[in-house]
Coordinates of all heavy atoms in Angstrom, one line a residue:
G198 N 104.5 82.1 106.7 CA 104.1 80.7 106.5 C 104.6 79.9 105.3 O 104.5 78.8 105.3
G199 N 105.3 80.6 104.5 CA 106.0 80.0 103.4 C 107.2 79.1 103.8 O 107.6 79.3 105.0
G200 N 107.7 78.4 102.9 CA 108.9 77.4 103.2 C 109.1 76.5 102.1 O 108.5 76.5 101.1
L201 N 109.9 75.4 102.5 CA 110.2 74.3 101.7 C 109.4 73.1 102.2 O 109.5 72.8 103.4 CB 111.8 74.0 101.7 CG 112.3 72.7 101.0 CD1 112.0 73.0 99.4 CD2 113.7 72.7 101.3
V202 N 108.7 72.4 101.1 CA 107.9 71.3 101.6 C 108.0 70.3 100.5 O 108.2 70.7 99.2 CB 106.5 71.7 101.8 CG1 105.8 72.2 100.5 CG2 105.7 70.5 102.4
Q203 N 107.9 69.1 100.7 CA 108.0 68.0 99.7 C 106.6 67.9 99.0 O 105.5 68.2 99.6 CB 108.2 66.6 100.3 CG 109.8 66.4 100.8 CD 110.2 65.1 101.1 OE1 109.2 64.4 101.6 NE2 111.3 64.8 101.1
A204 N 106.6 67.5 97.8 CA 105.4 67.1 97.0 C 104.3 66.3 97.8 O 104.8 65.3 98.4 CB 105.7 66.6 95.7
G205 N 103.3 66.7 97.9 CA 102.1 66.0 98.7 C 101.9 66.6 100.0 O 100.9 66.3 100.7
G206 N 102.9 67.5 100.4 CA 102.8 68.0 101.8 C 101.8 69.3 101.8 O 101.1 69.5 100.8
S207 N 101.8 69.9 103.0 CA 100.9 71.0 103.2 C 101.6 72.1 103.8 O 102.7 72.0 104.5 CB 99.8 70.7 104.1 OG 99.0 69.6 103.6
L208 N 101.1 73.5 103.6 CA 101.7 74.6 104.1 C 100.4 75.5 104.4 O 99.3 75.4 103.7 CB 102.6 75.5 103.3 CG 103.9 74.8 103.2 CD1 104.8 75.7 102.2 CD2 104.6 75.0 104.6
K209 N 100.4 76.3 105.4 CA 99.4 77.3 105.7 C 100.0 78.7 105.7 O 100.8 79.0 106.6 CB 98.6 77.1 107.0 CG 97.4 77.9 107.1 CD 96.6 77.6 108.5 CE 95.3 78.4 108.4 NZ 94.5 78.0 109.7
L210 N 99.5 79.5 104.8 CA 100.0 80.9 104.6 C 99.1 81.7 105.5 O 97.9 81.6 105.4 CB 100.1 81.3 103.3 CG 100.9 80.6 102.3 CD1 100.9 81.2 100.9 CD2 102.3 80.3 102.8
S211 N 99.7 82.8 106.1 CA 98.9 83.7 106.8 C 99.2 85.1 106.3 O 100.4 85.4 105.8 CB 99.1 83.8 108.3 OG 98.7 82.5 108.9
C212 N 98.2 86.1 106.3 CA 98.5 87.5 105.8 C 97.7 88.3 106.9 O 96.5 88.3 107.0 CB 97.9 87.5 104.5 SG 98.0 89.5 103.9
A213 N 98.5 89.2 107.7 CA 98.0 89.9 108.6 C 98.0 91.4 108.1 O 98.9 91.9 107.5 CB 99.0 90.0 109.9
A214 N 96.8 91.9 108.3 CA 96.5 93.4 107.8 C 96.4 94.3 109.0 O 95.9 94.0 110.1 CB 95.2 93.3 107.1
S215 N 96.9 95.5 108.6 CA 96.7 96.6 109.7 C 96.5 97.8 108.8 O 96.9 98.1 107.7 CB 98.1 96.7 110.5 OG 99.2 97.0 109.8
G216 N 96.1 98.9 109.6 CA 95.9 100.3 109.1 C 94.6 100.6 108.7 O 94.4 101.8 108.4
H217 N 93.6 99.8 108.5 CA 92.2 100.2 108.1 C 91.2 99.0 108.5 O 91.8 97.9 109.0 CB 92.2 100.3 106.6 CG 91.1 101.4 106.1 ND1 89.8 101.0 105.8 CD2 91.2 102.7 105.9 CE1 89.2 101.9 105.4 NE2 89.9 103.0 105.5
T218 N 90.0 99.3 108.3 CA 89.0 98.3 108.7 C 89.1 97.1 107.7 O 88.8 97.2 106.6 CB 87.6 98.8 108.5 OG1 87.5 100.0 109.3 CG2 86.5 97.9 109.0
F219 N 89.6 96.0 108.2 CA 89.8 94.8 107.5 C 88.5 94.3 106.8 O 88.6 93.9 105.7 CB 90.5 93.7 108.4 CG 90.9 92.4 107.8 CD1 91.7 92.4 106.8 CD2 90.1 91.3 108.0 CE1 92.1 91.2 106.2 CE2 90.4 90.1 107.3 CZ 91.5 90.0 106.5
S220 N 87.4 94.4 107.4 CA 86.3 93.8 106.8 C 85.7 94.7 105.7 O 84.8 94.2 105.1 CB 85.2 93.8 107.9 OG 84.9 95.1 108.5
S221 N 86.4 95.8 105.3 CA 85.9 96.6 104.1 C 86.7 96.1 102.9 O 86.4 96.7 101.9 CB 86.4 98.0 104.4 OG 85.8 98.6 105.5
Y222 N 87.5 95.1 103.1 CA 88.2 94.5 101.9 C 87.9 93.2 101.5 O 88.0 92.3 102.5 CB 89.8 94.7 102.2 CG 90.2 96.1 102.3 CD1 90.2 96.8 103.6 CD2 90.8 96.8 101.2 CE1 90.6 98.1 103.7 CE2 91.2 98.1 101.4 CZ 91.1 98.7 102.6 OH 91.4 100.0 102.7
A223 N 87.8 92.8 100.3 CA 87.9 91.5 99.7 C 89.4 91.3 99.8 O 90.2 92.2 99.4 CB 87.3 91.5 98.4
M224 N 89.8 90.0 100.0 CA 91.1 89.7 100.0 C 91.4 88.5 98.9 O 90.6 87.6 98.6 CB 91.5 89.0 101.4 CG 91.2 90.1 102.5 SD 92.3 91.6 102.4 CE 93.9 90.7 102.6
G225 N 92.5 88.5 98.4 CA 93.2 87.6 97.4 C 94.4 87.0 97.7 O 95.2 87.9 98.3
W226 N 94.7 85.9 97.1 CA 96.1 85.5 97.1 C 96.4 85.2 95.6 O 95.6 84.7 94.8 CB 96.1 84.0 97.7 CG 96.1 84.1 99.3 CD1 95.0 83.9 100.0 CD2 97.2 84.4 100.2 NE1 95.4 83.9 101.4 CE2 96.8 84.3 101.4 CE3 98.6 84.6 100.0 CZ2 97.5 84.5 102.6 CZ3 99.4 84.8 101.1 CH2 98.9 84.7 102.2
F227 N 97.7 85.7 95.4 CA 98.2 85.5 94.0 C 99.6 84.8 94.2 O 100.2 84.9 95.2 CB 98.3 87.0 93.3 CG 97.1 87.6 93.0 CD1 96.4 88.2 93.9 CD2 96.6 87.5 91.8 CE1 95.1 88.8 93.8 CE2 95.3 88.2 91.5 CZ 94.7 88.7 92.3
R228 N 100.2 84.4 93.0 CA 101.5 83.8 93.1 C 102.3 84.2 91.8 O 101.7 84.4 90.8 CB 101.6 82.3 93.2 CG 100.8 81.5 92.1 CD 100.7 80.1 92.5 NE 100.2 79.2 91.5 CZ 99.7 78.0 91.6 NH1 100.0 77.4 92.8 NH2 99.4 77.3 90.7
Q229 N 103.7 84.2 91.9 CA 104.4 84.4 90.7 C 105.7 83.6 90.8 O 106.4 83.6 91.9 CB 104.8 86.0 90.7 CG 105.6 86.4 89.5 CD 105.7 87.9 89.3 OE1 105.4 88.6 90.3 NE2 105.9 88.3 88.1
A230 N 105.7 82.7 89.8 CA 107.0 81.9 89.6 C 108.0 82.6 88.8 O 107.7 83.6 87.9 CB 106.6 80.7 89.0

């Protein structure tokens, strides 16, 4: 869902999980410039 957008715009990121019971995990988003 990432990409290039102008200031004031919107994006929606998705993160698909596999391999274990998803509901057992708290989830976070981080960023690094």
